[in-house]
């Protein structure tokens, strides 16, 4: 899991701000990337960072020059500004300043103004922790999670994340939410994952707000609530989060109201322009299945699905399987469909796992096999009352006792790939009526 390290400052209200996340947002505002172009919003963000200190101003200039943000792009001059930032952070860190020690570690981790050195980065994060930096607790946790400059160790990573989360660090709570959802280093617990995401989102994590939108949209770790899902996605999308934009767009694109559809389609295009794979996945679904204001376009859908497949996106594999199973723009070919479903299943797509299990159950495109049918349906982690759960129950009922024993042993011996979240499934047509009833 490639979680981002962070360089921080604290504003007048003592709220932590991630500098590079804010600089990236400033660039999105300036370029109109995923949101309306707004130079005044760009200036507000840059001014806020500039005011912090000479070191932060140098970081700001380094980013602007390196990215061509409001000035001509010049990577060499960008590095010069980062070198100045490293100098001032080092001076302050040597005097025991926790924020500066953390930020110096970040520069070494990224090779900005200094020679990239993961071990030196981890050293400064450790120094920053000694000085009292909460952000450094998170950063060192990331180092242990990924084995950057230290020996990889999930248990130590979780220890640092928990310490940071207890001190209200939103990024640490967000990672803990992910770990509990994946069952990495801890027992899988979607409800606990939801709790950590709620803690992180309330503390200002845009990533966690987006994750809450998804969890509430599908009922993962909490009761499904479309109105609340939309609310959290709205918050994250307003900050330029492409994943939230893609999922929020999926809601709007299914609306019978043309105004909402147009808003959703524009958001989806913006997210696709940012290269977001989840947005391409959502658009592919719309092009395959159609929505009230958009007819299916199988040729375009297949092109997009193939693009996703080339990126190794499990959702792309699954949707190609759907097209071959139902003959949507391509000839019906159950063997090909099963092959694409298997690729999706082995990459962690719950949709692909359920579809592959169903084909094994009926012997279509593959040889009929109750054990493999049960296994793949079980791997999809079907929710209570879902079609996949009903199919799994039916297969279990028709198995012999010997087959059941073999199936359970096969599940135990082959835990399978971790599940992935690839965006919301297509929603029922009356989604907005349901949202109004619950709000």
């Amino acid at each position: 899991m490639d979680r981002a390290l962070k360089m921080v400052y604290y504003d007048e209200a003592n709220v932590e701000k991630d500098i590079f996340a804010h600089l990236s947002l400033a660039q999105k505002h300036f370029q109109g990337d995923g949101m309306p172009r707004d130079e005044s919003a760009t200036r507000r963000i840059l001014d806020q960072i500039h005011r912090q200190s000479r070191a932060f101003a140098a970081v700001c200039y380094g980013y602007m020059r390196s990215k061509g943000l409001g000035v001509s792009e010049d990577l060499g001059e960008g590095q010069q500004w980062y070198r100045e930032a490293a100098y001032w952070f080092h001076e302050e860190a040597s005097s025991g300043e926790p924020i500066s020690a953390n930020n110096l570690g970040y520069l070494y981790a990224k090779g900005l103004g200094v020679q990239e050195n993961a071990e030196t980065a981890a050293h400064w994060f450790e120094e920053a922790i000694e000085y009292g930096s909460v952000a450094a607790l998170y950063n060192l946790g990331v180092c242990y999670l990924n084995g950057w400059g230290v020996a990889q160790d999930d248990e130590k990573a979780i220890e640092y994340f928990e310490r940071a989360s207890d001190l209200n660090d939103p990024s640490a709570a967000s990672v803990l939410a992910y770990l509990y959802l994946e069952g990495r280093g801890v027992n899988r617990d979607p409800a606990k994952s939801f709790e950590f995401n709620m803690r992180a989102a309330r503390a200002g994590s845009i990533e966690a707000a987006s994750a809450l939108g998804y969890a509430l949209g599908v009922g993962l770790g909490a009761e499904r609530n479309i109105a609340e899902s939309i609310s959290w996605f709205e918050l994250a999308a307003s900050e330029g989060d492409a994943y939230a934009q893609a999922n929020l767009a999926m809601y709007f694109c299914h609306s019978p109201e043309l105004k909402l559809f147009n808003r959703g389609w524009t958001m989806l295009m913006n997210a696709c322009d940012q290269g977001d794979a989840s947005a391409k996945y959502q658009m592919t679904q719309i092009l395959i299945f159609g929505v009230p204001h958009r007819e299916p376009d199988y040729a375009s859908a297949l092109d997009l699905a193939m693009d996703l497949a080339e990126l190794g996106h499990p959702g792309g594999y699954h949707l190609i399987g759907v097209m071959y199973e139902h003959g949507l723009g391509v000839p019906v070919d159950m063997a090909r469909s099963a092959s694409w479903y298997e690729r999706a299943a082995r990459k962690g797509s719950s949709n692909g796992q359920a579809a592959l299990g169903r084909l094994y159950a009926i012997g279509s495109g593959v040889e009929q096999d109750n054990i493999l049918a049960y296994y793949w349906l079980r791997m999809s982690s079907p929710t209570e009352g879902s079609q996949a759960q009903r199919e799994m129950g039916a297969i279990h009922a028709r198995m012999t006792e010997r087959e059941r024993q073999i199936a359970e042993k096969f599940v135990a011996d082959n835990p399978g790939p971790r599940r992935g979240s690839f965006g919301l499934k297509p929603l029922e047509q009356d989604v907005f009526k349901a949202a109004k009833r619950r709000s």
Side-chain angles (χ1 to χ4, degrees):
M1 183 177 93
D2 187 7
R3 287 282 172 167
L5 298 169
K6 61 182 180 180
M7 175 183 282
V8 301
Y9 69 91
Y10 291 86
D11 65 13
E12 294 79 4
N14 201 35
V15 175
E16 178 189 287
K17 302 290 185 181
D18 185 324
I19 295 174
F20 279 93
H22 274 240
L23 288 171
S24 177
L25 180 60
Q27 190 168 17
K28 288 181 179 181
H29 280 301
F30 186 77
Q31 296 176 339
D33 188 4
M35 56 180 59
R37 195 169 191 275
D38 187 347
E39 290 189 30
S40 63
T42 299
R43 284 194 294 271
R44 283 195 299 273
I45 294 172
L46 297 178
D47 288 344
Q48 187 177 41
I49 297 172
H50 270 269
R51 288 196 299 268
Q52 300 304 310
S53 71
R54 288 176 295 188
F56 289 111
V59 169
C60 200
Y61 284 129
Y63 185 92
M64 292 170 67
R65 275 298 186 191
S66 297
K67 302 291 185 179
L69 176 55
V71 293
S72 60
E73 182 179 320
D74 188 327
L75 296 178
E77 187 171 339
Q79 280 290 343
Q80 288 178 11
W81 282 109
Y82 285 136
R83 277 195 289 275
E84 180 167 336
Y87 171 81
W88 289 114
F89 281 140
H90 189 276
E91 289 291 300
E92 294 161 5
S94 298
S95 300
E97 170 55 50
I99 295 175
S100 297
N102 174 78
N103 293 346
L104 182 60
Y106 181 96
L107 293 179
Y108 273 105
K110 299 293 184 178
L112 299 175
V114 291
Q115 186 69 37
E116 182 178 333
N117 189 310
E119 290 78 11
T120 302
H123 162 75
W124 280 111
F125 293 146
E126 289 170 346
E127 290 289 304
I129 290 169
E130 291 295 319
Y131 301 152
S133 169
V134 179
L137 284 168
Y138 163 80
N139 280 339
L140 194 57
V142 172
C143 289
Y144 275 108
L145 197 65
N146 293 290
W148 294 342
V150 292
Q152 197 283 328
D153 190 325
D154 283 352
E155 289 186 6
K156 281 192 175 181
I158 290 168
E159 176 190 335
Y160 282 111
F161 290 139
E162 287 178 340
R163 287 172 61 186
S165 179
D166 288 344
L167 294 169
N168 299 316
D169 184 271
S171 302
S174 180
V175 177
L176 286 169
Y178 177 89
L179 295 176
Y180 273 102
L181 186 60
E182 288 291 294
R184 176 171 172 181
V186 291
N187 292 327
R188 187 173 186 271
D189 189 336
K192 198 158 188 176
S193 171
F194 185 88
E195 290 175 11
F196 274 115
N197 266 326
M198 183 62 76
R199 183 190 301 185
R202 286 174 172 167
S205 169
I206 299 306
E207 178 186 29
S210 192
L212 282 178
Y214 178 83
L216 288 162
V218 299
L220 183 61
E223 184 179 351
R224 190 171 187 234
N225 188 315
I226 301 301
E228 287 190 25
S229 173
I230 290 172
S231 178
W232 284 111
F233 276 142
E234 287 267 25
L235 174 63
S238 69
E239 294 293 324
D241 185 88
Y243 179 79
Q245 290 172 346
N247 285 286
L248 188 59
M250 196 65 171
Y251 284 129
F252 293 154
C253 285
H254 280 79
S255 169
E257 297 179 31
L258 180 59
K259 184 177 179 180
L260 280 177
F261 168 79
N262 287 335
R263 182 185 176 196
W265 191 255
T266 298
M267 291 178 70
L268 201 55
M269 293 292 290
N270 284 336
C272 285
D273 287 345
Q274 294 185 66
D276 184 69
S278 61
K280 292 182 179 180
Y281 175 63
Q282 304 290 28
M283 185 172 284
T284 305
Q285 291 188 88
I286 291 173
L287 293 173
I288 291 175
F289 303 112
V291 289
H293 297 287
R294 186 92 184 187
E295 292 295 320
D297 180 346
Y298 300 136
S300 297
L302 186 59
D303 285 344
L304 261 180
M306 285 295 184
D307 286 346
L308 286 169
E310 287 179 7
L311 294 171
H313 192 284
Y317 299 149
H318 169 252
L319 292 177
I320 296 171
V322 169
M323 297 184 79
Y324 275 109
E325 180 179 2
H326 298 284
L328 304 177
V330 293
V332 172
D333 188 327
M334 296 309 300
R336 278 193 178 183
S337 177
S339 175
W340 284 107
Y341 284 152
E342 182 164 2
R343 293 189 198 186
R346 294 191 181 282
K347 289 278 281 186
S349 165
S350 59
N351 289 335
Q353 290 162 348
L356 183 61
R358 176 170 44 78
L359 294 191
Y360 272 113
I362 61 178
S364 181
V366 290
E367 186 176 345
Q368 199 280 334
D369 190 315
N370 286 339
I371 292 170
L372 286 177
Y374 179 82
Y375 170 76
W376 283 115
L377 286 163
R378 176 88 169 261
M379 287 300 103
S380 74
S381 300
T383 55
E384 189 72 28
S386 66
Q387 179 66 23
Q389 187 187 58
R390 290 192 292 272
E391 290 172 347
M392 189 173 72
I395 293 164
H396 193 264
R398 76 188 188 206
M399 282 178 168
T400 65
E401 186 58 36
R402 176 61 178 158
E403 282 181 319
R404 290 172 187 163
Q405 292 174 357
I406 294 172
E408 293 299 336
K409 185 176 188 308
F410 191 76
V411 169
D413 292 344
N414 299 274
R418 292 191 177 106
R419 289 182 61 195
S421 297
F422 310 115
L424 292 167
K425 299 175 185 177
L427 297 161
E428 60 274 15
Q429 297 300 318
D430 63 345
V431 60
F432 288 94
K433 294 178 183 177
K436 288 176 182 176
R437 287 197 299 269
R438 297 178 187 183
S439 59

